[in-house]
Amino acid sequence: MSNAKPKTAITPTRADNYQEWYQQVVRAADLAETSDVKGCMVIKPWGYALWENIQRVLDGMFKDTGHVNAYFPLFIPVSFLEKEAAHVEGFAKECAVVTHHRLEQREIGGQKKLVPGGELEEPLVVRPTSETIIGASFAKWVQSYRDLPLLINQWANVVRWEMRTRLFLRTAEFLWQEGHTAHATSKEAVDETMKMLAVYAEFAESWMAMPVIQGEKTAGERFPGAVQTYCIEAMMQDRKALQAGTSHFLGQNFAKASNIQFSDENNARVHAWTTSWGVSTRLVGGMIMTHADDDGMVCPPKLAPSHAVILPITRKPEDRARVLEYCAKLRAELRGVMFAGSAVRVEIDDRDINGGEKKWGWIKKGVPLILEVGPRDIDADSVFMGRRDQIGQKSTGVKRSELVATIANVLQSIQDALFAKAVAYRDEHTRVIDSKDEFYAFFADPPKKDPNDPTPIHAGFALAHFNGDPKLEAQIKDDLKVTVRCIPLDDNALAAARGLASLDKGRQSMKHDLFTPGTCPFTGQPSKQRVIWAKSY
Amino acid sequence: MSNAKPKTAITPTRADNYQEWYQQVVRAADLAETSDVKGCMVIKPWGYALWENIQRVLDGMFKDTGHVNAYFPLFIPVSFLEKEAAHVEGFAKECAVVTHHRLEQREIGGQKKLVPGGELEEPLVVRPTSETIIGASFAKWVQSYRDLPLLINQWANVVRWEMRTRLFLRTAEFLWQEGHTAHATSKEAVDETMKMLAVYAEFAESWMAMPVIQGEKTAGERFPGAVQTYCIEAMMQDRKALQAGTSHFLGQNFAKASNIQFSDENNARVHAWTTSWGVSTRLVGGMIMTHADDDGMVCPPKLAPSHAVILPITRKPEDRARVLEYCAKLRAELRGVMFAGSAVRVEIDDRDINGGEKKWGWIKKGVPLILEVGPRDIDADSVFMGRRDQIGQKSTGVKRSELVATIANVLQSIQDALFAKAVAYRDEHTRVIDSKDEFYAFFADPPKKDPNDPTPIHAGFALAHFNGDPKLEAQIKDDLKVTVRCIPLDDNALAAARGLASLDKGRQSMKHDLFTPGTCPFTGQPSKQRVIWAKSY
């Protein structure tokens, strides 16, 4: 088989046309595809396996923090949405509306056609999020302070009708989890909001190898109906920001809208304090945009559908049985090793196809380790091992027993290398900016040679002071398509949740001073801290 | 605390009013509730945990048989449904139709109202099942015989607009898995159909402790568009049959409708052969109706959300710390024991509520073991253990070390007892019938004393010969609301799938001779075997 490396396995490269590169990675790695239903994607097995691993790990983290799963209706009566004014304002423009409950055969212009029949008295929307429908249940479940806290999570599909979609990052239907909790006091609800933000940060950094900044959103970027919205923000390889997860303190807004009331210890009826928090299949897009390269997907080992694939090399038919037997034994040995809480996931690819094509197929899928075994390797009791994160380097021979003994360490070192690389990339493209001119120059698109040129790679993150004025923020958005991605949380603000193993490695690695007060470069007014400005998904 | 047993914890009893008893069990065990959205249920945490356990085990069985998960759009264009004539006929009458993609504010009669806006060019239905939308992807994925078999499963929500709903058993929205596979030959597709039927039977019997009969449906009960539909059928405690899972051989019907074609080894273009198979949250209803009693839910241990609950008994405040510490240690020890492939699931209920109420709460939830620990028990290093399946009997003291050493065996013995009890109940209410008169008498409703009396418990299963005539079947359905639940498969028919550990314990335990040819009692014509007749859900 040929190890000859084509220029790059993905055309175009990131530098040539980032958006098209993304589409091609998704296709080459067999992660997802568009469907015949506008805006809805098909998540293919390799992409879905990434999501299953995300689900498994997050579900464990939610349960470890006291949450239980439940399931609520897909449909929400329009009258429920209307209960919270900001909420309906935020979602009415983009929701799928069910108006009928059957199809009827009609003759139209001489042709038989199926048309909607059985009109509903009240239209239903397919849930874009479930605060209002879950609130109706919470109102029944919460009677006394003894019923609190109520800590619920739901794994579900949601629909937000999007005109401009991109696989995983923005689709009309997507899969997500939505946590919904109710508490007796404001403080408890705020603590919950911060705790789940920390869970998301921990997951993003330790499992996805994606550094994030934990921060608060400005009013303009808040969840419709929330009092405060917190988020984790990551930098993609086009230097745009991806909001990867959000955690909302809802105050009593939704409790009042849904009438979630309880008798407190003094027997007074009071409204509960609620939170909600969610991450979605967008995380798969974040993983691609953080780690994939010009040869395709790069899966962080802790979430990879397969940690390693064994490729039997059998040029002569008479070698085949011996090589396959050796591979099966190797697989069994490797499956006996634990990595990141699971048995090592390893498969043998013995399809009868061209060896180079087969190997490059796995490189494009981003499997962390490719293990090649031929007759001569068996004689030497060794295996050729290639690391996905070191694709340019030659595969190295390693003794079988050593491979089994060290594979967990090797996978961890890949995981660590991916995180370090992502941190370095982000920091390289993060700039501390103290003047308006520099800020505008940083974010100005370079002049296009040709109007058909793809959108260029963006500038990155600007760390600048800000007086907090929403009008100024809107002006900058108009001028540059740049927004405040978040107001980073300082160590004190994170302290409550820190016990939960929120390492906040992402921000701490940033090594910029964000929290010394200064001057807003746009207004000359005082500013408590720097915020993160960027273009975003 | 009082151990005094009320007459029964659930009112009414099964004998008094079976349907109302079912609703009360669902409520008392906190499994689910109706929602404000017609036909849609809320699955509460204890009910959802049962479903999560079902999912986990089945997902493992699907993967062990070579299937992978993927995800397809929630929405299906009406034109897709129309591709298969029988299919659209079967589902058009009961589907949620999306016609608009936003809500708009309008003044109607002086009031502001939200009304549907942005009408879609083509209406979409919320998937009632996904053959047609998955077929569109399969048509792209399958090009060559090398791409086959394609073995895909999806976990998803589906909607079939039902007017008369019952929690878990029949709801407009339900959760399910749907397997969809494509094969190069008819034989391979039939083998797959039978294999997944066997997986369902194995799951029902070994995990749910619910005996089932594997059989084929008559034409009238076939899935719309299928060539053959196979099913597992169980008897509920009102002696009606529950179709608990179906596996369909679709022939080339859907491959032709969706154009799933491939080049065979001779380079000829041929249509693939497909299958589909599914089970749903209905299984939770089946578990309730198989095992629950007049004191509430009885969870089969292998799927119970908690295997055991520890109740600390602390009458005096000064005992509390010591008792809780002992309980925590006991919990840790028990969690170290493996049962049915998982660590024993055990929790401590230290809520400050009345002890009798607390204990009865857990009985109604159906936790297999209740462990009571008080100060005197600690002194004796023993625990009071009550088995849910032996609720009338007194709890027995057991040494802590013995409890830890034997808990897995105890749980297995509860599992076995539940299965044996269900088999005995079914066989007690199954009758071999050889005359039309006896058949009609068996299924005739007893005369009601009062028109407001609830529907009586039904007769059971009749094993009768049948000449296979659809008109006769329709007549009997009209007369008695009785249908052929299935044509049981004999040992030869099951042999292909038998290697897969399909024990078919349910049928084998029946000890009736089903397969000796005889005479149809309705027509006098010859019949190859007996079939199962019953009223059904």
Side-chain angles (χ1 to χ4, degrees):
Chain A
M1 67 181 268
S2 162
N3 266 330
K5 187 168 179 284
K7 255 181 170 170
T8 60
I10 303 296
T11 311
T13 63
R14 287 163 286 185
D16 285 345
N17 185 340
Y18 188 84
Q19 290 189 22
E20 180 61 19
W21 163 83
Y22 177 79
Q23 305 288 355
Q24 291 304 325
V25 169
V26 171
R27 175 203 295 251
D30 229 11
L31 294 166
E33 64 188 24
T34 55
S35 77
D36 295 296
V37 184
K38 199 172 154 53
C40 293
M41 67 177 157
V42 172
I43 308 181
K44 299 184 79 173
W46 189 255
Y48 196 80
L50 284 168
W51 178 242
E52 282 182 284
N53 288 337
I54 290 171
Q55 283 189 297
R56 179 177 46 77
V57 174
L58 276 176
D59 197 67
M61 292 172 87
F62 298 156
K63 284 174 178 160
D64 286 347
T65 44
H67 303 85
V68 289
N69 290 325
Y71 189 79
F72 300 86
L74 172 67
F75 300 127
I76 300 181
V78 169
S79 58
F80 277 47
L81 271 194
E82 288 176 304
K83 287 179 184 175
E84 217 291 333
H87 193 67
V88 68
E89 176 72 22
F91 289 107
K93 295 181 203 89
E94 50 173 33
C95 53
V97 189
V98 176
T99 54
H100 295 73
H101 65 78
R102 64 172 174 264
L103 294 169
E104 292 172 355
Q105 200 100 47
R106 291 267 175 78
E107 286 245 340
I108 297 177
Q111 285 198 313
K112 279 193 177 175
K113 269 196 82 172
L114 278 179
V115 298
E119 189 168 356
L120 300 176
E121 280 179 32
E122 182 185 7
L124 302 169
V125 303
V126 178
R127 63 182 160 220
T129 181
S130 301
E131 277 74 10
T132 56
I133 191 80
I134 292 182
S137 281
F138 277 21
K140 292 183 214 163
W141 300 354
V142 174
Q143 297 300 330
S144 146
Y145 69 94
R146 291 171 190 266
D147 300 324
L148 297 172
L150 192 55
L151 306 174
I152 302 286
N153 178 60
Q154 168 172 264
W155 291 97
N157 53 345
V158 284
V159 173
R160 299 176 185 177
W161 208 271
E162 298 279 356
M163 289 304 167
R164 297 183 57 188
T165 60
R166 200 171 309 182
L167 293 167
F168 291 116
L169 294 170
R170 187 175 294 276
T171 49
E173 182 193 14
F174 55 93
L175 305 182
W176 80 344
Q177 61 68 219
E178 46 183 324
H180 294 271
T181 70
H183 306 264
T185 66
S186 169
K187 181 184 181 312
E188 277 183 41
V190 169
D191 285 352
E192 167 79 6
T193 309
M194 301 302 288
K195 182 197 281 180
M196 300 323 289
L197 183 71
V199 163
Y200 288 155
E202 163 72 6
F203 178 76
E205 299 191 338
S206 293
W207 290 86
M208 296 172 63
M210 181 175 79
V212 295
I213 314 279
Q214 298 176 54
E216 187 180 346
K217 287 286 187 198
T218 58
E221 300 273 321
R222 228 173 251 153
F223 176 77
V227 173
Q228 287 172 301
T229 286
Y230 294 88
C231 61
I232 53 172
E233 296 280 331
M235 184 190 286
M236 304 293 98
Q237 290 183 76
D238 61 351
R239 306 175 202 166
K240 283 167 82 171
L242 184 81
Q243 173 181 303
T246 48
S247 186
H248 315 293
F249 170 58
L250 304 175
Q252 293 179 310
N253 292 349
F254 285 88
K256 285 178 179 166
S258 296
N259 204 24
I260 308 172
Q261 277 192 306
F262 66 97
S263 303
D264 70 11
E265 294 183 328
N266 307 316
N267 232 352
R269 294 293 286 175
V270 289
H271 284 103
W273 302 79
T274 67
T275 82
S276 68
W277 29 274
V279 297
S280 73
T281 35
R282 170 172 256 212
L283 289 182
V284 179
M287 241 185 310
I288 300 167
M289 287 219 179
T290 302
H291 301 304
D293 61 22
D294 294 337
D295 290 319
M297 181 57 181
V298 176
C299 297
K302 284 187 176 179
L303 297 172
S306 299
H307 292 122
V309 61
I310 301 173
L311 306 182
I313 314 291
T314 54
R315 281 190 200 82
K316 299 177 201 158
E318 64 266 30
D319 291 335
R320 191 168 163 82
R322 187 165 71 106
V323 171
L324 288 182
E325 190 190 340
Y326 187 91
C327 290
K329 276 189 196 156
L330 176 62
R331 179 177 58 187
E333 284 186 320
L334 293 174
R335 283 180 175 171
V337 177
M338 294 297 285
F339 170 65
S342 299
V344 167
R345 299 182 283 270
V346 56
E347 55 185 300
I348 296 171
D349 182 357
D350 62 354
R351 285 175 301 159
D352 181 23
I353 58 171
N354 171 282
E357 187 190 320
K358 189 191 281 189
K359 183 170 174 176
W360 275 99
W362 286 106
I363 291 170
K364 287 187 278 189
K365 284 173 109 73
V367 70
L369 291 174
I370 294 179
L371 308 173
E372 292 172 282
V373 175
R376 268 185 293 181
D377 305 312
I378 298 179
D379 295 339
D381 201 20
S382 80
V383 174
F384 262 79
M385 180 178 84
R387 279 172 63 147
R388 179 62 183 87
D389 66 325
Q390 299 175 353
I391 197 69
Q393 299 172 30
K394 220 175 146 26
S395 297
T396 51
V398 54
K399 285 281 172 198
R400 183 180 50 83
S401 58
E402 193 193 326
L403 174 63
V404 175
T406 61
I407 190 166
N409 289 341
V410 172
L411 290 169
Q412 185 62 51
S413 80
I414 297 174
Q415 182 85 22
D416 294 343
L418 293 179
F419 183 72
K421 190 176 166 191
V423 166
Y425 185 86
R426 188 195 59 189
D427 287 354
E428 190 183 337
H429 301 291
T430 297
R431 200 189 299 178
V432 172
I433 293 184
D434 286 320
S435 88
K436 180 176 171 180
D437 287 351
E438 189 185 351
F439 186 93
Y440 271 69
F442 183 67
F443 284 115
D445 285 337
K448 285 188 181 186
K449 278 167 273 173
D450 176 337
N452 295 321
D453 268 358
T455 309
I457 296 284
H458 305 277
F461 285 2
L463 308 180
H465 281 288
F466 175 48
N467 71 344
D469 177 12
K471 279 187 200 151
L472 170 58
E473 197 184 353
Q475 183 64 53
I476 290 172
K477 188 174 179 179
D478 265 5
D479 291 345
L480 300 170
K481 293 187 191 129
V482 166
T483 49
V484 175
R485 297 323 305 152
C486 73
I487 305 160
L489 295 169
D490 67 16
D491 292 345
N492 288 334
L494 288 172
R498 180 63 50 82
L500 195 87
S502 163
L503 305 177
D504 199 28
K505 289 186 293 191
R507 179 176 63 70
Q508 296 201 344
S509 68
M510 207 171 218
K511 291 183 189 122
H512 292 296
D513 172 21
L514 296 169
F515 302 107
T516 302
T519 305
C520 170
F522 309 104
T523 62
Q525 290 180 341
S527 153
K528 276 188 279 188
Q529 67 170 86
R530 291 178 190 274
V531 302
I532 295 178
W533 297 86
K535 292 180 182 173
S536 70
Y537 280 94
Chain B
M1 65 181 269
S2 163
N3 265 332
K5 191 170 179 285
K7 256 182 172 169
T8 60
I10 303 296
T11 312
T13 62
R14 287 162 288 184
D16 286 344
N17 185 340
Y18 187 85
Q19 290 189 23
E20 181 60 20
W21 163 84
Y22 177 78
Q23 305 288 354
Q24 292 304 325
V25 170
V26 171
R27 177 204 294 252
D30 228 11
L31 294 167
E33 65 188 23
T34 55
S35 77
D36 295 295
V37 184
K38 198 172 156 52
C40 294
M41 68 177 156
V42 172
I43 308 180
K44 298 183 80 172
W46 189 254
Y48 196 81
L50 283 168
W51 178 241
E52 282 182 284
N53 287 338
I54 290 172
Q55 283 190 297
R56 181 177 45 77
V57 174
L58 277 176
D59 196 68
M61 294 173 87
F62 298 156
K63 286 176 177 159
D64 286 347
T65 45
H67 304 84
V68 289
N69 290 327
Y71 188 79
F72 300 86
L74 171 68
F75 300 127
I76 300 181
V78 169
S79 58
F80 276 47
L81 271 194
E82 288 176 303
K83 288 179 183 175
E84 217 291 331
H87 193 67
V88 68
E89 178 70 22
F91 290 107
K93 296 182 203 86
E94 49 172 36
C95 53
V97 189
V98 176
T99 54
H100 295 74
H101 64 78
R102 63 169 176 266
L103 294 168
E104 292 171 356
Q105 200 99 47
R106 290 269 175 76
E107 285 246 342
I108 296 177
Q111 284 199 315
K112 279 194 176 175
K113 268 196 83 172
L114 277 181
V115 298
E119 189 167 358
L120 300 177
E121 280 180 32
E122 182 184 7
L124 301 169
V125 304
V126 179
R127 63 183 161 220
T129 179
S130 301
E131 277 73 10
T132 56
I133 191 80
I134 292 182
S137 281
F138 277 21
K140 291 182 214 163
W141 299 355
V142 175
Q143 296 300 329
S144 146
Y145 69 94
R146 291 171 188 266
D147 300 324
L148 297 172
L150 193 55
L151 306 174
I152 302 287
N153 178 62
Q154 169 171 265
W155 291 98
N157 53 345
V158 284
V159 172
R160 298 175 186 178
W161 210 270
E162 299 278 356
M163 290 303 168
R164 299 183 57 189
T165 60
R166 200 172 309 182
L167 292 168
F168 291 116
L169 295 169
R170 191 174 292 276
T171 49
E173 183 192 15
F174 55 93
L175 304 183
W176 81 344
Q177 62 68 218
E178 46 182 325
H180 294 271
T181 70
H183 306 263
T185 67
S186 171
K187 181 182 181 312
E188 278 182 41
V190 169
D191 286 352
E192 166 80 6
T193 309
M194 302 301 289
K195 182 195 282 180
M196 299 324 289
L197 183 71
V199 164
Y200 289 154
E202 162 72 5
F203 178 76
E205 298 190 340
S206 293
W207 289 86
M208 295 172 64
M210 181 175 79
V212 294
I213 314 279
Q214 299 176 53
E216 187 180 344
K217 287 286 186 197
T218 59
E221 300 272 324
R222 227 173 252 154
F223 176 76
V227 173
Q228 287 172 302
T229 286
Y230 295 88
C231 62
I232 53 172
E233 296 280 332
M235 185 190 284
M236 304 293 97
Q237 290 183 78
D238 61 353
R239 305 175 202 165
K240 284 168 82 170
L242 184 81
Q243 174 182 301
T246 48
S247 185
H248 315 293
F249 170 58
L250 304 175
Q252 294 179 308
N253 292 351
F254 285 89
K256 284 176 179 166
S258 297
N259 203 23
I260 308 172
Q261 276 192 304
F262 65 97
S263 303
D264 70 9
E265 294 183 322
N266 306 315
N267 232 350
R269 293 293 287 176
V270 290
H271 284 105
W273 302 80
T274 68
T275 82
S276 68
W277 29 275
V279 298
S280 73
T281 35
R282 170 172 256 212
L283 290 182
V284 178
M287 243 185 308
I288 300 166
M289 288 220 178
T290 301
H291 301 303
D293 61 22
D294 294 336
D295 290 320
M297 181 56 180
V298 178
C299 297
K302 284 188 177 178
L303 297 173
S306 298
H307 292 122
V309 62
I310 302 173
L311 306 182
I313 315 290
T314 53
R315 282 191 200 81
K316 300 178 202 157
E318 62 267 31
D319 292 334
R320 190 166 164 83
R322 189 165 69 108
V323 171
L324 287 181
E325 190 190 343
Y326 186 91
C327 290
K329 274 188 196 157
L330 176 62
R331 177 177 61 185
E333 284 186 322
L334 293 175
R335 284 180 174 173
V337 177
M338 293 297 287
F339 171 66
S342 299
V344 167
R345 298 182 284 269
V346 56
E347 54 186 300
I348 297 170
D349 182 358
D350 61 354
R351 285 175 301 158
D352 181 23
I353 58 171
N354 171 283
E357 185 190 322
K358 189 192 281 192
K359 184 172 176 178
W360 275 100
W362 286 105
I363 291 170
K364 288 187 278 188
K365 284 173 107 73
V367 71
L369 292 173
I370 294 178
L371 307 173
E372 291 172 283
V373 175
R376 267 184 293 179
D377 305 312
I378 298 180
D379 295 340
D381 201 20
S382 80
V383 174
F384 263 78
M385 182 178 82
R387 279 173 61 146
R388 179 61 183 85
D389 64 327
Q390 299 175 352
I391 198 68
Q393 300 172 31
K394 220 176 141 34
S395 298
T396 51
V398 54
K399 286 279 172 199
R400 184 180 51 85
S401 59
E402 194 194 326
L403 174 63
V404 174
T406 62
I407 190 166
N409 289 340
V410 172
L411 290 169
Q412 185 63 50
S413 81
I414 298 174
Q415 182 85 22
D416 294 342
L418 293 179
F419 183 73
K421 189 176 167 194
V423 166
Y425 185 85
R426 188 196 58 189
D427 287 354
E428 188 183 339
H429 302 290
T430 297
R431 199 189 299 178
V432 172
I433 292 183
D434 286 319
S435 89
K436 181 177 171 179
D437 287 351
E438 188 184 353
F439 187 94
Y440 271 70
F442 183 68
F443 284 115
D445 285 336
K448 285 188 181 187
K449 281 166 270 175
D450 175 336
N452 294 321
D453 267 359
T455 308
I457 296 284
H458 305 279
F461 286 1
L463 307 180
H465 281 286
F466 175 48
N467 71 345
D469 178 11
K471 279 186 201 151
L472 169 58
E473 196 184 354
Q475 183 64 53
I476 291 172
K477 188 173 179 179
D478 265 6
D479 292 344
L480 299 169
K481 292 189 192 132
V482 166
T483 50
V484 176
R485 297 322 304 150
C486 72
I487 306 161
L489 295 169
D490 67 16
D491 292 345
N492 289 334
L494 288 172
R498 179 64 49 81
L500 195 86
S502 162
L503 306 177
D504 199 26
K505 288 185 293 192
R507 179 176 64 70
Q508 297 200 346
S509 69
M510 209 172 217
K511 291 186 190 118
H512 293 297
D513 173 21
L514 296 169
F515 302 106
T516 303
T519 305
C520 169
F522 309 103
T523 61
Q525 291 180 340
S527 154
K528 278 187 283 190
Q529 68 169 85
R530 292 179 191 275
V531 302
I532 296 177
W533 297 87
K535 293 182 182 172
S536 70
Y537 280 93

